[in-house]
Amino acid sequence: VEMTADRDRDGLQAGALRWLRLWEMRKPTIAMVHGICLAGASEMAAMADITYVAEDARIGFPSLPIGSGDIETFWYWFVGPKRTKEIAWLLGTQISGRKAYEWGFANEVFPADKLEEETYKHANLIARLPLELLNLKKQSVNRIMEFQGFRAAVMSGAEWDAIAHVTKPVKEMQQRMREQGMQGAIKWFNEEA
């Protein structure tokens, strides 16, 4: 079956709906980020209710121009438009856990060797709150974001990505990736820049 823009959009929106299910879970979700957290992994970290990161974590966007809108939509809500544009337009950019905290992407940053201990310490404190009340608190904050357009923005990100996927530059990059593999395409792109 030929991939069309509308089929691509449907698939991308199905992915967005999976992230929104994480957002809507009755129980709180906590992301613990260490190592490398790029592209879709950063979407998961953004959708968690609380995100704790290691100082030396590397968080960012893909290294190749292969889409537009999907990842940006998630980042925008947590770091703002200017920082989202900066990290999205400087392909391959990765920020440290420290910078992710300073930008507002993460709730707290810890030394890598303390990340797990501190995350569980915070999780245990949160777990003291009765689940019924915790869920109401979570939903009240989420609802404000939804009134501001969060859900619509997440879903529209899939549309922008589907549109980008049918452009000549993205099709050419996808062909290069098929021919040279991801690392070869990244090397070619960086040499051309």
Side-chain angles (χ1 to χ4, degrees):
V1 176
E2 180 185 351
M3 179 57 75
T4 61
D6 65 323
R7 282 193 184 111
D8 190 17
R9 181 213 50 229
D10 291 348
L12 291 162
Q13 285 186 335
L17 288 170
R18 280 192 297 276
W19 293 133
L20 286 169
R21 280 197 300 274
L22 177 65
W23 174 260
E24 295 164 344
M25 288 181 69
R26 288 184 56 77
K27 292 184 179 180
T29 57
I30 300 173
M32 181 171 33
V33 179
H34 57 89
I36 297 174
C37 180
L38 302 176
S42 74
E43 292 174 334
M44 184 188 316
M47 289 304 276
D49 296 306
I50 295 178
T51 304
Y52 297 127
V53 297
E55 288 178 328
D56 62 354
R58 305 300 304 162
I59 304 162
F61 273 63
S63 297
L64 295 172
I66 55 175
S68 175
D70 189 31
I71 300 167
E72 290 89 335
T73 303
F74 291 86
W75 277 72
Y76 169 84
W77 288 90
F78 303 100
V79 304
K82 291 195 177 279
R83 288 187 170 139
T84 298
K85 289 175 185 176
E86 178 183 358
I87 197 165
W89 295 353
L90 296 172
L91 294 176
T93 297
Q94 298 174 13
I95 59 173
S96 68
R98 168 75 44 205
K99 188 171 271 191
Y101 168 71
E102 291 167 359
W103 281 16
F105 186 86
N107 294 79
E108 291 287 342
V109 59
F110 302 109
D113 63 340
K114 297 287 186 192
L115 176 64
E116 188 171 352
E117 175 188 341
E118 291 296 330
T119 298
Y120 281 106
K121 184 188 303 180
H122 284 78
N124 286 326
L125 290 171
I126 292 167
R128 294 174 50 203
L129 194 61
L131 182 57
E132 181 179 10
L133 186 56
L134 187 56
N135 182 48
L136 289 170
K137 288 176 173 287
K138 173 180 175 168
Q139 293 308 315
S140 69
V141 173
N142 286 6
R143 188 66 47 90
I144 293 166
M145 289 181 69
E146 288 179 9
F147 288 151
Q148 293 174 331
F150 178 74
R151 178 179 295 276
V154 167
M155 296 306 286
S156 74
E159 294 168 350
W160 287 109
D161 226 30
I163 292 168
H165 291 167
V166 297
T167 63
K168 184 178 178 182
V170 170
K171 285 184 173 191
E172 289 173 352
M173 187 55 67
Q174 290 170 339
Q175 179 64 34
R176 188 165 300 280
M177 290 165 51
R178 282 190 292 277
E179 292 170 357
Q180 298 178 350
M182 182 66 78
Q183 293 301 319
I186 291 171
K187 182 178 180 201
W188 173 85
F189 182 77
N190 288 331
E191 288 172 356
E192 290 294 309

